[in-house]
Amino acid sequence: MLDAATAESLRAGLASTPPEISSKYLYDDHGSELFEKITYLPEYYQTRTEIGILGERADDIIAAGRTHELVELGSGAGRKIRFLLEALVRKNANPKLTLFEINELFLTQSADKIRADFPQVEVRGVVGDLTTDMERVGRGDGRMFIIFGGTFGNFPPGKGDGFLKSLVAQMGENDTLLLGADIVKDPAILEAAYNDSQGVTAEFNLNTLNGFNALTGANFDTGNFEHRAFFDTDHEWIEMRLRATAPNTVTVPALDMTLDFKPGDEIRTEYSCKYTRESLGRRVAAAGLGVDDWFADADNRFALALLRLRTD
Ligand code: TRP
């Protein structure tokens, strides 16, 4: 059964224009596997660009943060943290790592692997949801919080601010936040990254409906929808949608709702915000953070931004 808060947020999403189904439901086991595939697609430059930056600049990033503990928020498959851990181990006699992750199985598996490969690092795992459980990391100082990839860009506009504030509430004045940021660029490059030629992204997006069905007992048929992704140049974000290709009616037992779709009707499933150093600075200012350093690749496709509490 659905808890009341989840039911409420699903109803609110469906009532908006266009109706929305949160991308939270993308990452079931099948979805996580599909996303892993996306990260290797030729059009999806983000992951390999970010790994390239880490390979070249890990020591500079660690030195800029003056840190003794890494706190990775949403650790997932754990390919990227290793670069920073190696740099931290080179610099610090008592290196620590905290992994904060919503999926307990992923968390235990990656913590065990890291313990085996980095016996000198003290590894701690915390299970939680970024949007509600930030206080579980506890207060401290000299830590570097890290959110890799496009995850921060996936927070719906406006809603990332609450998350940032709850993180800032845990931060000491020498803590930093390293944030992955996909950079605003030629829309053709951006749109290709979300409309790959093998159709993996389409399958990933359509899988949202399977997740929604599993959660609510609904009977969405993915065969009645097609994937759509486009760059909104005013807001500088990619929007992912599912568009009905045939008239169809969906019943949603857990919400006691019926949804009617005509061909062309759309459901919004995801945002992926793109940034410049300046626009990211504006975005995080309300939470009391400022961009202190910016580690981008030579082609300016992707950046790791180092944020600090603003003192002015
Ligand atoms: N964090 C990823 C991004 O914004 C998520 C993502 C990639 C995604 N491709 C997608 C989400 C397709 C929905 C549909 O780049």
Side-chain angles (χ1 to χ4, degrees), residues 23 26-27 35 38 44 46 149-151 153-154 182 193-194 201 204-205 227 240 269-274:
S23 58
L26 283 168
Y27 298 92
F35 183 67
I38 288 176
Y44 197 78
Q46 282 192 55
T151 304
N154 297 137
D182 195 18
Y194 294 88
T201 304
F204 180 58
N205 193 10
H227 164 73
M240 249 74 67
T269 53
E270 180 79 303
Y271 297 96
S272 188
C273 299
K274 308 304 170 192

Side-chain angles (χ1 to χ4, degrees), residues 230-247:
F230 61 94
F231 186 57
D232 178 330
T233 44
D234 289 341
H235 296 103
E236 302 190 318
W237 65 51
I238 286 273
E239 224 177 285
M240 249 74 67
R241 296 189 178 195
L242 293 169
R243 175 158 54 191
T245 52

Side-chain angles (χ1 to χ4, degrees), residues 152 155-168 275 282-289:
F152 181 67
F155 279 99
K159 294 204 182 132
D161 303 353
F163 154 70
L164 278 182
K165 283 185 187 148
S166 68
L167 172 57
V168 164
Y275 297 104
R282 287 194 294 275
R283 174 82 196 260
V284 301
L289 292 165

